[in-house]
Amino acid sequence: MKKIASLLLAIVMLVSLASGMGISAFAATALVTEDGIRYAENYVENGENTVKIVGYSGKGEDVVIPDTISGKKVTRISNFSFNDNTIVKSLSVPASVTEIDDMVILNCPNITAIKVASDNKYYDSRNNCNAIIEKATGNLIAGCKTTKVPNGVTKIGRFAFYNCSGLTDITLPESVKSIQHQAFQDCKNLKNITFLNKNCKICELCNPGDKTCDFTIVKGAAIHGYKGSTAEKYAKEYGRKFVALTQLSTPTLKAIVNANGTFKLSWNKVSGAEKYELYIKQADGSYKLMKTTTATSFTTAFATYGKQYSYKMRAVKGNTKSAYSKVVNAKNTKKLQTPTLKVAVNANGTFKLSWNKVTGAEKYELYIKQANGSYKLMKTTTSTSFTTAFATYGKQFSYKMRAVTSKNKSAASAYSSVVNAKNTKKLQTPSLKVAVNKNGSFKLSWGKVAGAEKYELYIKQANGSYKLMKTTTATSFTTAVAAKGKTYSYKIRAVTSKNKNATSNYSNVVNAKNTATSNTVYITPTGKKYHYSQACAGKNAMKTTMSKVKNTYSPCKKCC
């Protein structure tokens, strides 16, 4: 039997050489890059402006195949390009390569890593070295010492693990749909091979019953798979030991639409299951893993209003996975939840409107009632509160709101209940301060009061009453020069023309006395003011005489 197997292998290799035109066929015509990569131009099968790699004569341990050579796209790696190479330790394949022929890296004992771009389309590499594939979505398979082929690999090519003496156990993920004949031939130490795909085609390219299929998996290896699977059929047909994997029962998936537009997915507990995988349907029709959980329910995020979503799931225990549940569909027919609006009257006569956060809402629209009874949009905000401007004292205001999303206008929530608010607060009482200026005048100042239109300043009279002295919109006022030594008293209040009842309380009384060294004021009969300064008492001062004119005094000469 070994002689027959060796003869068959030799024939296969010769056929591969003849059909694939291995490296020897290009020995005379191959071009070589500076890095020692041998290549042939104008690879007709993939177009005239393409290149295929046919060999390597460089001395580098880490070989990086370029995506273009001399401006031409590298699309293929030919048979035996790296076989029997003892120098190369790693090989990087670019995304431009769409074909890797048979036995490209056959008998490469030192290659420990093969890096493959994620979008390569076709791989059929025969490697019996110890390489580990870092990325692969096609058929390029990890080397001899791996125990688990990366998920995403779809095919294991002919002679992929031929004569791998270091291989003892290997698991083929569910993504592997086929293995070609003689894939695990002469793996003399292979004890267990596990098929997780129930329908994986074993000995692809051969007819059922073909004797060549007997070499696909070495004798002595136990085949693990599900009952009724292609793995079980192969084991029975070719006399291999079959070990049935534990079949988890299929969970029943249910979906309900919550009031807030999310979905609650729930399922029954599956005996023996360690966890559950939830999948969601993509736009291209494929399903993507959405959630892995140990629970028996999961609530999704807010779903777009009116859009249908599809889900399926399965139970998992180690490498054992149940069949997928039936697909359940769910559509968010619920509008956004209606927010609850609240209002509070602030001390300064403004209103604070606040509400709860609504799941799925992008923003909130606040409306105020008009005189004609209709509501007008007052504010759009992403916040959950808003403070209004000062409200007219004693007047009632009415507000309502709703939650909205730009994803679907139809999903806008219903309007909240109307809340009413009335400003029963007077304007805040201003705090009055006074300072004596150098010239004997007083500077009165106060803080700005929200909602106030103006301020009324009052001065104390001789009889103890207060008289309106000044009305101003400013927050300060400077008096005329005060009589020296006399105390003056002031108070103030904030007012608004919108409602006299909203006038603030009077401020605290402030007292001020002119203690500054200021001029004595004399008033002439004509009303003109003159000042007699203490500076006039100096030795250089001019003497003045005052003449009494109707109880007033006028200077005979100007002082100083």
Side-chain angles (χ1 to χ4, degrees):
M1 182 60 72
K2 287 185 178 180
K3 290 181 178 180
I4 294 174
S6 298
L7 178 61
L8 287 171
L9 177 59
I11 293 172
V12 168
M13 288 182 174
L14 288 172
V15 171
S16 297
L17 285 171
S19 61
M21 297 191 70
I23 187 171
S24 59
F26 291 93
T29 59
L31 302 172
V32 184
T33 68
E34 293 182 358
D35 297 326
I37 297 176
R38 299 166 62 84
Y39 67 97
E41 294 182 310
N42 298 327
Y43 167 43
V44 179
E45 289 88 337
N46 277 8
E48 292 185 357
N49 199 33
T50 59
V51 166
K52 69 176 176 180
I53 306 302
V54 297
Y56 179 68
S57 56
K59 301 299 180 182
E61 296 179 347
D62 301 308
V63 180
V64 178
I65 297 175
D67 55 3
T68 60
I69 297 177
S70 299
K72 296 183 179 182
K73 190 175 182 180
V74 178
T75 59
R76 180 175 178 177
I77 303 177
S78 191
N79 309 74
F80 303 105
S81 293
F82 294 88
N83 72 311
D84 296 323
N85 190 299
T86 59
I87 297 175
V88 179
K89 292 184 178 180
S90 70
L91 178 65
S92 297
V93 181
S96 60
V97 173
T98 57
E99 293 184 48
I100 299 178
D101 290 346
D102 298 346
M103 295 172 277
V104 168
I105 51 175
L106 188 66
N107 297 321
C108 302
N110 294 321
I111 291 182
T112 57
I114 303 175
K115 303 174 183 178
V116 183
S118 60
D119 54 352
N120 294 78
K121 299 173 183 177
Y122 181 80
Y123 306 102
D124 190 7
S125 179
R126 320 288 165 75
N127 68 80
N128 63 337
C129 63
N130 297 326
I132 298 176
I133 306 305
E134 293 189 4
K135 288 184 180 179
T137 57
N139 310 316
L140 188 58
I141 305 304
C144 306
K145 290 186 177 179
T146 59
T147 58
K148 186 176 181 181
V149 174
N151 191 39
V153 173
T154 57
K155 180 190 292 184
I156 298 180
R158 188 162 54 115
F159 296 114
F161 293 91
Y162 172 76
N163 196 27
C164 289
S165 59
L167 185 64
T168 58
D169 297 89
I170 190 166
T171 297
L172 305 183
E174 194 174 12
S175 61
V176 175
K177 296 179 180 179
S178 66
I179 64 172
Q180 293 185 346
H181 56 85
Q182 298 168 281
F184 295 92
Q185 182 177 340
D186 289 351
C187 296
K188 58 184 179 181
N189 293 317
L190 181 61
K191 303 298 182 184
N192 300 285
I193 179 169
T194 301
F195 291 84
L196 296 182
N197 187 328
K198 194 172 183 178
N199 299 309
C200 178
K201 186 181 291 186
I202 302 175
C203 196
E204 187 186 25
L205 304 180
C206 292
N207 297 320
D210 192 317
K211 291 184 179 180
T212 308
C213 289
D214 192 31
F215 299 108
T216 300
I217 300 174
V218 67
K219 289 183 177 179
I223 296 175
H224 300 252
Y226 297 112
K227 288 185 178 181
S229 65
T230 53
E232 183 182 21
K233 292 178 182 178
Y234 178 88
K236 288 180 179 180
E237 186 170 357
Y238 294 99
R240 304 294 193 275
K241 179 182 178 181
F242 179 74
V243 180
L245 295 174
T246 302
Q247 187 77 43
L248 294 172
S249 59
T250 305
T252 301
L253 181 61
K254 297 179 181 179
I256 60 172
V257 183
N258 297 321
N260 63 353
T262 61
F263 303 144
K264 182 179 180 181
L265 302 169
S266 61
W267 53 92
N268 59 296
K269 188 174 182 179
V270 174
S271 178
E274 296 174 344
K275 54 188 177 181
Y276 304 92
E277 294 177 343
L278 277 164
Y279 293 80
I280 185 171
K281 191 174 184 179
Q282 305 295 291
D284 61 1
S286 65
Y287 280 81
K288 179 183 179 182
L289 180 63
M290 178 180 68
K291 179 73 176 179
T292 298
T293 179
T294 57
T296 55
S297 67
F298 174 72
T299 299
T300 68
F302 173 78
T304 301
Y305 180 82
K307 179 181 177 181
Q308 179 172 288
Y309 295 79
S310 298
Y311 302 93
K312 66 179 181 180
M313 66 166 301
R314 63 182 176 183
V316 180
K317 181 182 181 180
N319 291 327
T320 303
K321 299 179 180 180
S322 74
Y324 286 106
S325 68
K326 289 184 179 180
V327 172
V328 296
N329 301 312
K331 183 185 291 186
N332 178 12
T333 56
K334 310 287 186 179
K335 291 181 178 288
L336 292 173
Q337 278 187 308
T338 304
T340 300
L341 182 61
K342 297 179 180 180
V343 65
V345 182
N346 297 321
N348 64 353
T350 61
F351 303 144
K352 182 179 180 180
L353 300 166
S354 61
W355 54 93
N356 58 296
K357 187 175 182 179
V358 174
T359 301
E362 292 180 346
K363 49 190 175 182
Y364 305 91
E365 294 177 346
L366 279 163
Y367 292 81
I368 186 171
K369 192 174 184 179
Q370 304 297 291
N372 62 4
S374 65
Y375 280 82
K376 179 182 179 182
L377 180 62
M378 177 181 68
K379 178 72 176 179
T380 299
T381 179
T382 57
S383 181
T384 54
S385 66
F386 174 71
T387 299
T388 69
F390 173 77
T392 302
Y393 180 82
K395 180 180 176 182
Q396 179 173 287
F397 293 82
S398 299
Y399 303 93
K400 66 179 181 179
M401 68 168 300
R402 65 177 180 176
V404 295
T405 173
S406 61
K407 295 177 182 178
N408 195 315
K409 291 183 179 179
S410 301
S413 74
Y415 287 103
S416 69
S417 299
V418 172
V419 294
N420 300 311
K422 183 185 291 186
N423 177 11
T424 57
K425 310 287 185 179
K426 289 180 178 289
L427 292 173
Q428 281 186 306
T429 304
S431 179
L432 184 59
K433 296 179 182 180
V434 65
V436 181
N437 297 320
K438 289 182 179 180
N439 66 350
S441 62
F442 304 145
K443 183 180 180 181
L444 300 166
S445 61
W446 54 93
K448 187 175 182 180
V449 174
E453 291 180 345
K454 49 191 176 181
Y455 306 90
E456 294 177 347
L457 275 164
Y458 292 81
I459 187 169
K460 191 174 184 180
Q461 305 297 294
N463 61 5
S465 64
Y466 279 83
K467 179 182 178 182
L468 179 63
M469 177 180 69
K470 178 71 175 178
T471 299
T472 180
T473 58
T475 55
S476 66
F477 175 72
T478 300
T479 69
V481 175
K484 185 178 179 181
K486 181 180 178 181
T487 298
Y488 295 82
S489 298
Y490 303 93
K491 64 182 181 180
I492 188 175
R493 65 179 180 177
V495 296
T496 172
S497 63
K498 295 177 181 178
N499 195 312
K500 292 182 179 180
N501 294 325
T503 300
S504 75
N505 294 323
Y506 286 104
S507 71
N508 54 302
V509 173
V510 294
N511 301 310
K513 181 188 292 186
N514 179 8
T515 58
T517 304
S518 59
N519 297 335
T520 302
V521 178
Y522 295 91
I523 303 175
T524 68
T526 60
K528 291 185 179 180
K529 296 180 181 179
Y530 293 88
H531 300 274
Y532 180 78
S533 173
Q534 287 181 340
C536 294
K539 63 181 180 178
N540 296 322
M542 294 178 63
K543 292 183 178 180
T544 62
T545 58
M546 308 298 294
S547 60
K548 188 173 182 181
V549 181
K550 295 183 180 180
N551 297 322
T552 64
Y553 294 86
S554 62
C556 297
K557 295 181 181 179
K558 288 186 178 179
C559 175
C560 302

